[in-house]
Amino acid sequence: MTGHEFVSVVTNDDAPGIATLLLSRPPTNALTRQVYREITAAAAELAGRPDIKVVILFGGHEIFCAGDDVPGLRTLNAEETAAADLMLRQCVAALADIPKPTVAAITGYALGSGLTLALGADWRVSGDNVKFGSTEILAGLAPRGGGGSRLAGAIGASKAKELVFSGRFVGAEEALTLGLIDEMVAPDHVYDAALAWARRFADQPVEVLAAAKAAVDRP
């Protein structure tokens, strides 16, 4: 395992070729500028490791990510806020640009920029009790770091705007219907379901997986 204060890269001998990018900032995995930097660094590590073929993004068994640390954001001046927005955009892009299959294992909540982070993965598996939402407007904010365009890319512009303008919570069943997630399972099975997705691709050559992902993302 390699790690920083809030983000770790975890491997297991029982799952060769698969790594978990683990968020651990209790109690809600709220995102700060430090967490953005740590995710970006972990994504760069995973991108460059030839022994890793598939990546699982996981926030632990309680909660994936409740979004930005809004009280912390409110302490920033305009210049610092713009820099933080750029750091978030770079963080999500670094995750999305990992040249390997990625799957987000989502528990509890994926809200605001936490939902944006999940949308940076290739697939999303969630528990049937998870709540999703583009909730920034409830704090008087707009989606940050490219979150609005990523949401629109996943579910279409009109549906994305309804979620962004209302800030309402979306249950797992609706999320599955909308296309926010790819599989819904019992809460205790989320990580195992993500691991099953990962195992489907772990036998492929890492360079072929990279080329295949690029062929879809950058035709």
Side-chain angles (χ1 to χ4, degrees), residues 1-4 7-11 19 38-52 55 98 100:
M1 181 175 79
T2 61
H4 303 274
V7 178
S8 301
V9 172
V10 182
T11 56
E38 292 186 12
I39 293 172
T40 301
E45 175 189 339
L46 290 163
R49 283 184 58 171
D51 61 317
I52 299 302
V55 176
I98 294 173
K100 301 163 186 186

Side-chain angles (χ1 to χ4, degrees), residues 146-166:
S149 61
R150 286 194 182 273
L151 182 62
I155 66 173
S158 62
K159 293 175 182 176
K161 287 175 182 176
E162 190 272 323
L163 295 185
V164 168
F165 295 163
S166 69

Side-chain angles (χ1 to χ4, degrees), residues 135-210:
T135 52
E136 291 91 343
I137 200 167
L138 303 180
L141 302 169
R144 304 175 55 251
S149 61
R150 286 194 182 273
L151 182 62
I155 66 173
S158 62
K159 293 175 182 176
K161 287 175 182 176
E162 190 272 323
L163 295 185
V164 168
F165 295 163
S166 69
R168 69 180 179 89
F169 282 14
V170 172
E173 288 190 9
E174 184 181 359
L176 184 63
T177 300
L178 287 171
L180 277 177
I181 60 175
D182 299 283
E183 185 179 3
M184 181 179 69
V185 298
D188 291 342
H189 298 162
V190 172
Y191 185 84
D192 288 341
L195 185 60
W197 275 82
R199 289 189 193 276
R200 294 168 60 192
F201 312 109
D203 290 335
Q204 301 295 336
V206 66
E207 65 275 8
V208 175
L209 289 169

